Amino acid sequence: MRLSFGIRKNRFLAATLLGASVLTSAGVVSALPAAAGASTPGSESGSESVLLKGSTKASYFWDDSSGRAGDTGLPASGKPMQKGMIASPSWPLLTEGYVVYKGKKAKFFVGDRGPGVPSSSGVMIDLDAKTFADLTGGTFNSDTLGVDGNGGMGHIKVDYVITKWGDGVGKKNHPVPFSAGAWGRMDNNPATPPQVINK
């Protein structure tokens, strides 16, 4: 998705500030989910931990270090761009969970910071472009790093569920805009998990 320079600049600033500290913590960086694009094991039986639930608008991105389409380089986590990676303006890096859109579920981990300016308008998740394409019935275009064939959708409303908080800085609660700076502060008081009633 083509984003304005200001948005990418904000993401680049966050990556610069946080990248070094994340990369020096090998234990945290290696804690990625085994199959970020797969469905969450045990979710149908109610055996997973649900730490936070909510809904928001989601956009998409693909930062593959190619410099195309406003790409600023490696994501803030230091991990290569991949399916299942999202950018969050406030959740700790390597937080895990899933989104649901029109009955389709996609697992994610937080690997980057963003959206920048759009988060001030309620767009609180940047899904990877391949997942966005899967959810909206489109196809990922590797030449433009965009999504084709989904009727031009660039934003969708998704439900999100957090199943594991990352260990680093960031807000362990409902997302707040990038401009709030929560991505740079440690939160030792995570949200109280919602009650989940198993049927």
Side-chain angles (χ1 to χ4, degrees):
M1 176 177 215
R2 292 188 185 270
L3 300 173
S4 71
F5 177 72
I7 298 166
R8 301 310 252 183
K9 185 177 176 184
N10 285 343
R11 184 178 287 147
F12 179 73
L13 175 62
T16 302
L17 295 172
L18 297 173
S21 63
V22 172
L23 290 174
T24 59
S25 179
V28 172
V29 171
S30 64
L32 289 176
S39 62
T40 305
S43 59
E44 291 74 24
S45 65
S47 64
E48 74 184 345
S49 297
V50 175
L51 303 177
L52 185 70
K53 293 173 76 173
S55 62
T56 189
K57 287 183 189 173
S59 55
Y60 68 87
F61 78 115
W62 193 265
D63 281 352
D64 65 357
S65 302
S66 67
R68 297 175 294 151
D71 177 16
T72 58
L74 278 177
S77 65
K79 293 294 180 182
M81 190 68 217
Q82 57 192 279
K83 189 172 182 179
M85 177 185 286
I86 70 165
S88 167
S90 60
W91 290 332
L93 293 174
L94 305 182
T95 291
E96 299 175 21
Y98 59 89
V99 294
V100 179
Y101 175 71
K102 293 188 175 180
K104 295 180 181 177
K105 181 176 173 180
K107 189 173 176 185
F108 69 75
F109 71 95
V110 177
D112 204 2
R113 291 297 178 205
V117 172
S119 63
S120 295
S121 299
V123 182
M124 296 292 183
I125 294 176
D126 241 352
L127 296 166
D128 74 272
K130 291 181 179 181
T131 296
F132 193 93
D134 287 349
L135 292 174
T136 61
T139 56
F140 174 67
N141 185 323
S142 60
D143 292 329
T144 65
L145 306 182
V147 175
D148 297 334
N150 70 355
M153 283 188 283
H155 297 94
I156 56 175
K157 185 173 181 181
V158 296
D159 294 321
Y160 60 81
V161 175
I162 300 297
T163 58
K164 179 182 176 187
W165 290 114
D167 293 332
V169 294
K171 183 179 172 93
K172 296 176 180 177
N173 209 319
H174 295 287
V176 295
F178 188 90
S179 60
W183 49 266
R185 293 189 295 269
M186 183 61 77
D187 182 359
N188 293 315
N189 188 24
T192 302
Q195 287 187 335
V196 177
I197 300 171
N198 294 325
K199 294 182 180 182

